[in-house]
């Protein structure tokens, strides 16, 4: 512990000694350095002394065989320090002990027996203190410990991971969330380990699994990536699966024969055959996962990619929508990219019918879930037509374009492309248009772009401050959070005119409210803005005092100059 303390102090001292304000680095990097430095400072002030009390409490329980002799205060301290105050925490601990017993070959030894005895005492105490704990845990439907463990340190300002983003098995932030047949979502590696151990039930609900198919939860993975981006955390990299990654289809021979017939029609010179076959494949791919796998196995993807450039609009629409439906399958994403589909999808996004353009945007969003595809799609010229669709599309088209742009802009290299494509004026227009149906999406994208130098400059020149102040005052919790995040970036560095404008518009009251009642990230951003605002106000006061002093000195000097000077003429008598 002492070694870690020494290293932490050295790192904090080294970082604190760097004048990074004078370096040519982005505001995003500056903010990350400030965050790391603040974490080191908190760590320095939070070093634990050797916990003699914990040691003595454990020994006292180990040495008492009679429960009646146990002091409830000791049990309460232990349950709190060991973070075993919830039924799910206790269940997880019981499972861990059970695995240790299994690993010992049925001979757990004295240490495990002592831990088991201690856990039983704590569990009995917790249930006695709170008889409704199991019912309340069931009503919430989520493990209380998932959020409790992260937020238990009141001194820590680290972002609290939302419960839904944690794997119910490991309680860690999910990297590759997958859905099982009961509808529950788990980290792929954890549920695979569970299934490989011979279990046939859902760990969370204990329901029997109808099958062992693991369906990627793309929506949740995207939400996790958005949350990480918003909180300055690197999005988790999806690990390689411990199982064979190739999915096989359960389609019958008759169904496979039907797919082969449709593929022959796709290659026909008859335009009507092409159109009808593409339409049927579109519907089959939408129907279920087995069809998506079988269609790809039969070799449909390259044929559909070839139809993206057809002048026949209905066939083109069927082809891009079929690729969208096929992309739901994890294995098919790589096949679609390797078949060179992105340029064709971008072509449809530019030239297709409105429905085809919407589905092309949705396809790019689906493919961009894979991190390396964000680079490929960004380099293909997809961003300008996505911005165009965001501006002139239907409500659904705008939503599809916004989700695709958000996902693509998680990659730093795509942010400048989006700004140069004119996305900021479009987003500002969506923020203020009647109805406000795109406010959530517009603010989320602005919050990402504000961390980029070009994005910050473009937002600043778009007169965004009045809109941001209004949202901070009256928006939804998430929108208030994102508006504050954008304003933090705008007011960083030498841009005090934005601070002055926000102060003039009355942002102080809403910021105080956000710092007290907002989301965790919203509170942090509001605190940052309040600190900068107070510093700005103090500087203004000092400048005013200095100006008044200078004016007073100047007035005194002028007064002295205007007074009549004593005569210097020499009297003749004196001479």
């Amino acid at each position: 512990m002492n070694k870690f303390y020494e290293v932490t102090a050295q790192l904090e001292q080294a970082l604190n000694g760097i004048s990074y304000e004078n370096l040519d680095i982005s505001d995003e990097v500056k903010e990350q350095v400030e965050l790391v430095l603040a974490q080191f400072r908190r760590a320095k002030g939070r070093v634990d002394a050797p916990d003699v009390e914990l040691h003595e409490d454990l020994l006292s329980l180990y040495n008492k065989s009679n429960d009646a002799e146990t002091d409830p205060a000791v049990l309460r301290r232990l349950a709190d320090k060991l973070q075993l105050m919830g039924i799910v925490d206790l269940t997880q601990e019981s499972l861990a002990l059970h695995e240790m017993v299994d690993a010992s070959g049925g001979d757990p030894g004295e240490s495990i027996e002592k831990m088991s005895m201690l856990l039983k005492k704590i569990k009995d105490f917790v249930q006695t203190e709170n008889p409704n704990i199991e019912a309340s845990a069931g009503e919430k439907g989520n493990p209380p410990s998932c959020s409790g463990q992260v937020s238990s340190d009141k001194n820590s300002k680290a972002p609290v991971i939302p419960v839904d983003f944690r794997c119910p098995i490991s309680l860690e932030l999910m990297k590759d969330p997958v859905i099982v047949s009961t509808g529950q979502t788990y980290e792929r590696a954890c549920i695979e380990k569970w299934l490989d151990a011979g279990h046939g039930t859902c760990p969370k609900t204990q329901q029997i699994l109808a099958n062992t198919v693991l369906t990627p939860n793309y929506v949740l993975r995207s939400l996790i990536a958005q949350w990480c981006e918003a909180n300055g955390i690197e999005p988790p990299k999806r690990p390689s699966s411990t199982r064979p990654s190739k999915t096989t289809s359960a389609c019958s021979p008759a169904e496979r024969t039907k797919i082969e017939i449709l593929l022959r029609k796709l290659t026909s010179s008859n335009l009507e055959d092409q159109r009808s076959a593409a339409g049927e494949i579109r519907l089959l791919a939408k129907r279920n996962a087995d069809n998506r796998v079988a269609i790809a196995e039969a070799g449909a993807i390259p044929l559909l990619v070839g139809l993206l450039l057809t002048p026949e609009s209905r066939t083109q629409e069927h082809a891009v929508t079929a690729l969208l439906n096929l992309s739901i399958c994890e294995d098919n994403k790589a096949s679609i990219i390797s078949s060179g589909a992105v340029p064709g999808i971008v072509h449809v996004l530019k030239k297709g019918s409105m429905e085809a353009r919407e589905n092309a945007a949705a396809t790019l969003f689906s493919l961009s879930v894979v991190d390396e595809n964000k680079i490929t799609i960004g380099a293909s010229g997809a961003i300008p037509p996505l911005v165009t669709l965001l501006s002139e599309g239907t409500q659904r088209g705008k939503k599809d374009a916004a989700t695709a742009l958000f996902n693509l802009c998680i990659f730093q290299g795509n942010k400048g492309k989006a700004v140069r494509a004119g996305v900021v004026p479009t987003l500002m227009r969506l923020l203020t248009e009647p109805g406000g149906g795109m406010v959530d999406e517009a603010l989320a994208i602005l919050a990402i772009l504000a961390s980029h130098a070009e994005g910050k400059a473009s937002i600043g020149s778009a007169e965004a401050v009045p809109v941001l102040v209004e949202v901070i005052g009256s928006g939804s919790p998430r929108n208030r959070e994102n508006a504050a995040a954008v304003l933090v970036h705008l007011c960083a560095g030498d841009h005090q005119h934005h601070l002055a404008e926000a102060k003039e518009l009355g942002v102080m009251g809403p910021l105080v409210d956000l710092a007290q009642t907002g989301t965790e990230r919203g509170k942090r951003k509001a605190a940052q803005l309040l600190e900068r605002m107070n510093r700005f106000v103090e500087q203004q006061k000092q400048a005013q005092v200095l100006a008044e002093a200078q004016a007073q000195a100047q007035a005194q000097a002028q007064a002295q100059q205007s007074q009549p000077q004593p005569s210097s003429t020499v009297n003749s008598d004196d001479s």
Side-chain angles (χ1 to χ4, degrees):
M1 183 189 70
N2 287 333
K3 287 181 180 178
F4 274 115
Y5 174 77
E6 290 170 7
V7 172
T8 299
Q10 290 169 4
L11 286 169
E12 186 268 336
Q13 186 177 8
L15 270 181
N16 198 36
I18 299 174
S19 300
Y20 59 88
E21 297 91 347
N22 301 325
L23 301 177
D24 186 19
I25 55 178
S26 67
D27 289 334
E28 182 180 27
V29 174
K30 287 181 184 177
E31 188 172 323
Q32 288 173 350
V33 174
E34 288 174 354
L35 177 62
V36 172
L37 186 55
Q39 289 171 339
F40 277 131
R41 285 171 180 159
R42 284 198 297 270
K44 267 180 55 182
R46 217 170 49 228
V47 173
D48 297 327
D51 200 331
V52 178
E53 184 182 55
L54 177 59
H55 182 245
E56 291 176 348
D57 286 347
L58 287 169
L59 284 181
S60 71
L61 281 188
Y62 284 154
N63 295 329
K64 286 184 174 66
S65 56
N66 188 350
D67 288 346
E69 300 174 7
T70 304
D71 184 355
V74 172
L75 284 168
R76 184 176 290 105
R77 281 199 301 270
L78 282 173
D80 183 51
K81 287 185 178 181
L82 300 177
Q83 297 183 346
L84 295 173
M85 297 297 289
I87 193 65
V88 177
D89 301 326
L90 292 161
T91 303
Q92 291 286 341
E93 193 75 11
S94 298
L95 289 171
L97 274 174
H98 183 68
E99 289 180 3
M100 291 173 70
V101 173
D102 288 344
S104 69
D107 184 16
E110 185 181 1
S111 63
I112 296 179
E113 287 180 356
K114 281 187 175 182
M115 283 190 278
S116 180
M117 176 273 295
L118 174 63
L119 185 61
K120 182 180 182 304
K121 287 186 176 183
I122 293 176
K123 187 172 183 179
D124 291 343
F125 168 76
V126 170
Q127 290 178 323
T128 302
E129 288 278 294
N130 186 3
N132 299 320
I133 189 167
E134 295 197 40
S136 62
E139 285 168 9
K140 290 178 182 177
N142 289 307
S145 62
C146 287
S147 60
Q149 287 188 358
V150 174
S151 59
S152 61
D153 183 356
K154 295 178 182 178
N155 296 323
S156 173
K157 298 292 181 67
V160 178
I161 301 173
V163 171
D164 292 338
F165 295 173
R166 294 173 176 267
C167 171
I169 298 174
S170 69
L171 302 184
E172 299 290 335
L173 181 67
M174 285 187 274
K175 301 176 182 177
D176 189 10
V178 293
I179 306 169
V180 297
S181 62
T182 59
Q184 298 296 325
T185 296
Y186 299 93
E187 173 63 39
R188 182 186 291 275
C190 295
I191 192 64
E192 284 179 350
K193 186 176 180 181
W194 171 268
L195 296 173
D196 289 342
H199 299 292
T201 57
C202 173
K204 190 170 180 179
T205 67
Q206 297 303 307
Q207 292 176 272
I208 295 175
L209 295 171
N211 54 62
T212 58
V213 174
L214 304 178
T215 305
N217 192 335
Y218 296 120
V219 173
L220 182 60
R221 192 190 302 170
S222 177
L223 289 172
I224 290 172
Q226 293 176 21
W227 179 84
C228 289
E229 170 71 22
N231 285 277
I233 300 171
E234 184 178 355
K237 302 293 183 186
R238 189 162 54 89
S240 300
S241 174
T242 56
R243 294 183 163 196
S245 61
K246 189 65 180 174
T247 310
T248 56
S249 170
C251 282
S252 66
E255 290 169 321
R256 290 182 180 277
T257 301
K258 178 182 179 181
I259 291 171
E260 289 172 2
I261 293 172
L262 289 174
L263 262 59
R264 283 198 292 272
K265 285 187 176 182
L266 282 183
T267 60
S268 168
S269 58
N270 186 303
L271 295 181
E272 182 58 39
D273 283 348
Q274 285 185 351
R275 182 166 57 250
S276 64
E280 286 192 58
I281 289 173
R282 167 184 179 174
L283 295 175
L284 283 173
K286 183 179 180 180
R287 194 165 298 161
N288 57 53
D290 285 329
N291 285 351
R292 289 190 276 275
V293 174
I295 291 168
E297 286 177 346
I301 289 175
L303 301 178
L304 291 168
V305 170
L307 291 178
L308 293 174
L309 301 178
T310 180
E312 212 288 307
S313 62
R314 190 63 177 161
T315 303
Q316 185 185 68
E317 181 185 308
H318 287 326
V320 75
T321 311
L323 288 171
L324 167 62
N325 295 335
L326 289 171
S327 72
I328 296 171
C329 174
E330 183 72 9
D331 294 328
N332 289 347
K333 292 183 191 295
S335 300
I336 292 170
I337 292 290
S338 63
S339 297
V342 173
I345 296 171
V346 174
H347 171 77
V348 176
L349 186 61
K350 293 177 179 177
K351 305 291 186 182
S353 65
M354 182 54 72
E355 184 175 350
R357 291 169 66 194
E358 292 169 354
N359 290 339
T363 307
L364 292 176
F365 165 71
S366 176
L367 295 174
S368 68
V369 168
V370 181
D371 287 337
E372 53 265 32
N373 292 349
K374 292 179 174 67
I375 303 172
T376 304
I377 295 169
S380 70
I383 290 177
L386 282 172
V387 173
T388 301
L389 182 62
L390 181 66
S391 174
E392 63 185 35
T394 63
Q395 190 68 8
R396 181 196 153 203
K398 290 177 180 179
K399 295 274 186 184
D400 288 330
T403 52
L405 283 167
F406 182 96
N407 235 23
L408 291 171
C409 288
I410 290 174
F411 172 61
Q412 184 74 4
N414 288 334
K415 294 178 182 179
K417 294 173 183 175
V419 173
R420 290 188 289 275
V423 72
V424 171
T426 300
L427 294 171
M428 293 305 303
R429 190 167 62 253
L430 293 175
L431 276 178
T432 56
E433 70 180 3
M438 292 293 296
V439 172
D440 296 0
E441 293 84 353
L443 278 170
I445 299 173
L446 285 173
I448 288 184
L449 296 177
S451 64
H452 189 273
E454 291 181 60
K456 175 180 171 180
S458 182
I459 296 169
S461 63
E463 300 181 354
V465 174
V467 180
L468 296 174
V469 171
E470 182 180 351
V471 174
I472 291 172
S474 60
S476 68
R478 181 52 56 86
N479 288 342
R480 295 177 74 197
E481 167 193 316
N482 281 328
V486 176
L487 199 54
V488 164
H489 286 293
L490 285 185
C491 296
D494 298 328
H495 299 276
Q496 292 194 337
H497 60 287
H498 292 312
L499 278 172
E501 184 180 4
K503 178 177 176 292
E504 188 70 25
L505 291 167
V507 77
M508 295 293 282
L511 280 180
V512 171
D513 180 66
L514 181 60
Q516 295 171 345
T517 64
T519 63
E520 287 302 315
R521 177 171 173 253
K523 289 177 181 178
R524 292 201 311 276
K525 297 300 180 184
Q528 285 179 277
L529 279 169
L530 285 169
E531 182 181 351
R532 291 179 185 176
M533 196 69 70
N534 290 332
R535 197 161 57 234
F536 170 68
V537 171
E538 188 62 33
Q539 289 172 350
Q540 278 189 319
K541 288 180 180 177
Q542 292 175 357
Q544 186 176 357
V545 169
L546 181 61
E548 290 174 355
Q550 289 175 340
Q552 188 175 5
Q554 188 176 8
Q556 289 175 348
Q558 290 175 347
Q560 289 176 354
Q561 290 175 2
S562 63
Q563 288 179 357
Q565 298 294 321
S567 175
S568 59
T569 307
V570 179
N571 192 298
S572 58
D573 293 338
D574 293 336
S575 60

